Amino acid sequence: FMRGHLQRGHLLRQMNRFDEAVFAYQEAAACGLPLDQLDFLLASLGRHESPHMAPIEYVRELFDQYADHFDHHLSHQLDYQLPALLGRLFKQYLRQSCSHILDLGCGTGLCGAQLRNYTQNLVGVDVSANMLEKAAHREVYDQLHCADILAFLAAQTEQQNSFDAILLADVLVYFGELRQVLAACQHQLRSGALLFFTVELDQPSTTASLGYRLQGNQRYAHQEHYVHDIAMQQQWEVIEMHPHALRREGKEMLTSLVCVWRKA
């Protein structure tokens, strides 16, 4: 019953029938949906204060269900531009003798495949076991870990300052507050190493006092000044930080901020 109410809520949200969607999500909670997921879903409809990030179980279940048609959906329906763009950035900025590269939120390996020729050891991390199964079939990773990104980074105490590059491709849309995850990445990078990441750009007309907001599509959008302020606060060298249209949503292309930062 819980999953049925949940799917009904998602459909009602897509139809802009928000009051009915709220009721469906509440029914799902009455049937066992965890309260942190209910709060997150209600926040995406503007009916609850936004959490700092999406609940891990929400992300895991979303991509476990999405895994079988993920690649086809992105490539054929969403006109996904990110793998090709990243391929050009890697060619421009990465040496072909990197010892260790980390692909966080690697999914099925669509973007990680662009990294294979640059490193002796490519490590992929994702919270979804089903996505990692697809990634394994690509045979581009030397290691794959099923883990929450923040928990994985926190556990790498013996590997600090060891990665030549870290990639977060279309992953930070499930994080509102970015300081913690970007600082954790910084700890894992050697001096002079690179961080590649994207965030979905918020519309300039919105009033997101925190610098980010949870949208109705249950993805976070960030304001450019917020991302830039973190770079300054954490003393990253900003190599690139430019807007690009990376995927389609409905009839429009969504604009993301594509960033290349270097650890000082």
Side-chain angles (χ1 to χ4, degrees):
F1 291 119
M2 181 195 76
R3 195 165 300 281
H5 290 303
L6 192 58
Q7 293 305 318
R8 184 163 58 89
H10 294 335
L11 288 172
L12 290 165
R13 174 182 58 80
Q14 292 170 7
M15 297 166 65
N16 296 325
R17 293 162 60 178
F18 299 135
D19 289 339
E20 293 171 85
V22 167
F23 181 75
Y25 289 146
Q26 290 170 335
E27 289 289 292
C31 294
L33 182 73
L35 289 180
D36 64 338
Q37 293 192 46
L38 173 64
D39 291 345
F40 174 77
L41 294 170
L42 295 183
S44 73
L45 295 172
R47 308 299 176 89
H48 195 279
E49 182 180 353
S50 293
H52 293 314
M53 60 182 290
I56 297 303
E57 285 303 318
Y58 164 83
V59 178
R60 177 182 289 114
E61 291 174 11
L62 175 67
F63 285 99
D64 274 349
Q65 295 173 31
Y66 196 9
D68 284 341
H69 57 281
F70 179 81
D71 288 4
H72 184 273
H73 187 228
L74 286 182
S75 301
H76 293 84
Q77 293 179 259
L78 300 187
D79 194 17
Y80 198 47
Q81 302 295 309
L82 186 54
L85 174 59
L86 286 173
R88 294 194 294 271
L89 291 174
F90 297 154
K91 185 176 182 179
Q92 182 174 356
Y93 292 113
L94 288 177
R95 297 174 292 108
Q96 289 192 314
S97 57
C98 295
S99 296
H100 298 87
I101 293 181
L102 180 59
D103 184 2
L104 292 172
C106 65
T108 64
L110 267 179
C111 295
Q114 303 285 342
L115 287 167
R116 177 66 271 175
N117 292 333
Y118 295 94
T119 182
Q120 303 163 22
N121 186 31
L122 181 58
V123 179
V125 179
D126 202 277
V127 73
S128 166
N130 290 357
M131 296 288 273
L132 287 176
E133 183 180 350
K134 303 295 182 184
H137 291 319
R138 276 199 156 85
E139 298 183 342
V140 297
Y141 294 96
D142 298 288
Q143 300 174 46
L144 287 170
H145 300 272
C146 189
D148 161 39
I149 287 172
L150 286 174
F152 177 86
L153 291 171
Q156 302 305 299
T157 53
E158 296 181 2
Q159 304 298 324
Q160 286 190 3
N161 307 313
S162 65
F163 287 99
D164 297 286
I166 293 177
L167 171 64
L168 289 151
D170 208 18
V171 172
L172 296 178
V173 293
Y174 298 105
F175 290 80
E177 171 56 60
L178 298 181
R179 288 178 177 84
Q180 182 183 6
V181 64
L182 294 179
C185 288
Q186 193 173 56
H187 287 310
Q188 301 304 325
L189 290 169
R190 63 169 182 78
S191 179
L194 295 173
L195 176 68
F196 299 84
F197 71 93
T198 64
V199 296
E200 197 168 298
L201 268 180
D202 200 4
Q203 299 298 321
S205 59
T206 63
T207 55
S209 59
L210 295 173
Y212 61 86
R213 67 185 177 92
L214 180 59
Q215 305 172 99
N217 61 9
Q218 296 159 10
R219 294 159 60 97
Y220 288 92
H222 297 82
Q223 295 181 350
E224 186 170 356
H225 74 84
Y226 169 79
V227 181
H228 184 267
D229 287 349
I230 294 176
M232 297 303 100
Q233 292 162 7
Q234 297 183 354
Q235 299 183 324
W236 293 91
E237 179 187 355
V238 176
I239 307 299
E240 285 206 20
M241 199 162 77
H242 298 135
H244 293 270
L246 294 183
R247 71 176 183 88
R248 188 174 302 282
E249 183 159 298
K251 297 181 179 179
E252 298 181 354
M253 291 294 288
L254 290 182
T255 301
S256 292
L257 195 64
V258 180
C259 303
V260 183
W261 292 358
R262 179 181 284 123
K263 179 179 176 178

